[in-house]
Amino acid sequence: MPDVALQASGLSKQFISGGEPVPVFCGVSLLLKAGESLALMGRSGSGKSTLLNLLCGLERPDEGEIWVGGHRVGAAGDSPKEQPGQWAGLRRQSLGVVFQDANLMPALTLLQNVRLRASLAGQPDGQGPEWLNRLGLAGLEHRYPDQVSGGQRQRAALAMVFAMQPEVILADEPTGSLDRHTADEVADQLFRLRQETGCALVLATHDPELAARCGQRLDLAHPGRQSDCQ
Ligand SMILES: Nc1ncnc2c1ncn2[C@@H]1O[C@H](COP(=O)(O)OP(=O)(O)O)[C@@H](O)[C@H]1O
Ligand SMILES: [Mg+2]
């Protein structure tokens, strides 16, 4: 695994609202080596989800560059025709992304979802029950996503990412819908996986206890950041 897992330099993003440009953030840079973790903090609307979307190629930056595993994969001004395939390949194999609205396939059971994600990443799919067990979902393997709670769906989405064995995990408020005890257990598993596989973690979170477990912290609500935007 390359030493630098994820790097971004000078990322800026704005949206157009009512015909007016609305800056979200400017000049955001980060560098995560294998095994490092970053807490992405900031009040609601500060751009945490937007930054995660840039880091996995679902949105394009207005300025700045992104490297995954030492390869430059995204930059403002890159041809939109070239990028989607490259980013899709990374999301299949190297970037494990957990969105806030746990993105499970509704027609598949939790176990089938985990197995599918493992196979797409070229990983063995036989460990599905173990990944679900690690996220506290033993006994729910054969339920469909609409037969479990929102918090259980979110944990199943994490089990899918664990099964990928990615180089980088990007998780949007992974403990946001969980009670304190379950949140702590899920965080334990995230950090245990990091230790076992050397993956890097980027966690958008409001949870100060989860943030405190991360080695780095990036606060998007830092005063002055938005006023730096042109
Ligand atoms: N697709 C979009 N179009 C227009 N505005 C958006 C879009 N996505 C996010 N925004 C705006 O960008 C800002 C940051 O949103 P978001 O990244 O979701 O923040 P957070 O995850 O920190 O709550 C918000 O003001 C939001 O309304
Ligand atoms: Mg968000």
Side-chain angles (χ1 to χ4, degrees):
M1 184 180 288
D3 196 32
V4 174
L6 179 68
Q7 185 175 3
S9 165
L11 293 181
S12 299
K13 183 68 183 172
Q14 65 179 24
F15 290 108
I16 306 294
S17 177
E20 294 292 317
V22 180
V24 182
F25 48 72
C26 292
V28 170
S29 298
L30 56 91
L31 192 156
L32 278 174
K33 291 186 181 170
E36 292 185 336
S37 55
L38 169 77
L40 200 52
M41 307 285 290
R43 67 185 187 286
S44 186
S46 60
K48 300 180 296 298
S49 298
T50 301
L51 179 54
L52 291 177
N53 283 340
L54 296 189
L55 294 174
C56 69
L58 291 176
E59 298 265 8
R60 279 156 54 84
D62 298 321
E63 290 174 26
E65 297 180 318
I66 298 165
W67 292 261
V68 177
H71 300 287
R72 199 188 81 145
V73 285
D78 279 357
S79 160
K81 286 184 185 155
E82 288 169 17
Q83 287 185 326
Q86 192 178 13
W87 278 115
L90 285 169
R91 285 193 299 273
R92 202 163 46 239
Q93 290 211 304
S94 313
L95 291 173
V97 188
V98 189
F99 297 107
Q100 269 168 297
D101 51 352
N103 44 326
L104 308 183
M105 307 269 285
L108 300 182
T109 65
L110 302 190
L111 181 57
Q112 288 168 335
N113 267 285
V114 173
R115 286 193 163 142
L116 175 65
R117 183 67 77 90
S119 323
L120 289 173
Q123 296 292 339
D125 66 2
Q127 284 177 288
E130 185 195 329
W131 296 120
L132 287 166
N133 185 33
R134 281 179 63 160
L135 274 304
L137 297 172
L140 301 181
E141 294 90 343
H142 303 298
R143 297 253 188 113
Y144 289 87
D146 66 357
Q147 295 174 328
V148 298
S149 71
Q152 288 166 338
R153 274 196 293 279
Q154 199 167 21
R155 281 183 277 153
L158 274 168
M160 288 162 68
V161 162
F162 282 20
M164 282 175 68
Q165 303 260 336
E167 285 156 38
V168 180
I169 293 180
L170 304 172
D172 203 349
E173 308 201 19
T175 59
S177 59
L178 307 177
D179 62 80
R180 180 78 263 158
H181 177 72
T182 313
D184 288 344
E185 285 185 349
V186 166
D188 286 347
Q189 291 298 340
L190 267 169
F191 284 90
R192 200 176 127 197
L193 186 79
R194 179 190 65 152
Q195 204 169 15
E196 286 171 8
T197 67
C199 68
L201 296 175
V202 180
L203 308 175
T205 184
H206 287 289
D207 179 351
E209 290 186 30
L210 182 58
R213 296 180 69 165
C214 295
Q216 297 182 43
R217 182 177 168 137
L218 177 63
D219 193 344
L220 287 177
H222 189 268
R225 187 177 297 282
Q226 294 205 7
S227 59
D228 291 342
C229 298
Q230 296 297 310

